[in-house]
Structures are given as C-alpha cells and as structure tokens.
Amino acid sequence: MTNIDIYDVAGAKWYQQPTSGAPPALAMGCAVAASAQDLSSHNIYYYGGYDGIHDNEDFNDDVWILSLPSFIWTKIAGTAEHARAGNPAAHRHVRRI
C-alpha cells in the first residue's frame, strides 16, 4: 500500500499517489473511511487481515490509518489474541469502502 490508486472524476483518469509509512501487504481486512466534520481531512482505517499466503499464521490485529490529504499511514498496534480477517464493519456515520 505504498501507492494508492485514485480516480480523478473531473479529469476522468486514474493516477497513483505515493504514501509514507505504509503497512505490509494484507488481505481480507476491513476498511472504513471517516471525514472531519468540516471536510478538511479524511481518514481511511484498515483493520486486521493476514498476508494472504500463510493461513496457519496469526491474523493481524493492527489498525492502520491513512490520513488524507497528507497520505501518511499511522499504525495502532493490536495483539494476536484479538486478531480478525474477513470481518465486515459498518457504522451509521462511517462510509464503507
């Protein structure tokens, strides 16, 4: 997740935005997005998952937050005993992506 694919609606084209502090490649996690009340910034939260290769290893319990418009990742560490993969997340005021 060192580069994020972004679609420019006005320009009708895709481009890649580099990020910093990116997490390792993870599969089957859950992602949600939330905006600041004044819409000046946005966060994408990515929770859990696993590397997609080693089914017998512990799932990931970390939360990774991608802050926009800075495109900087921040890690909030979790523990393997609470780890999840493939779980949906939804909340009334959070957009599911």
Side-chain angles (χ1 to χ4, degrees):
M1 294 191 245
T2 57
N3 289 305
I4 303 295
D5 294 322
I6 297 177
Y7 184 70
D8 177 1
V9 176
K13 67 178 184 173
W14 286 94
Y15 67 95
Q16 287 194 335
Q17 173 67 44
T19 68
S20 65
L26 296 169
M28 299 293 294
C30 177
V32 294
S35 299
Q37 198 167 25
D38 65 358
L39 301 179
S40 63
S41 64
H42 314 278
N43 287 333
I44 299 173
Y45 300 84
Y46 188 88
Y47 169 71
Y50 73 110
D51 69 4
I53 299 170
H54 303 99
D55 291 335
N56 295 331
E57 291 187 12
D58 290 336
F59 290 149
N60 189 308
D61 190 46
D62 298 333
V63 175
W64 287 88
I65 303 167
L66 178 62
S67 297
L68 307 175
S70 67
F71 290 93
I72 296 173
W73 286 99
T74 303
K75 176 184 177 182
I76 301 174
T79 61
E81 65 189 39
H82 298 289
R84 302 284 184 268
N87 290 22
H91 188 275
R92 192 172 65 187
H93 298 291
V94 176
R95 287 180 232 149
R96 192 167 173 192
I97 59 173

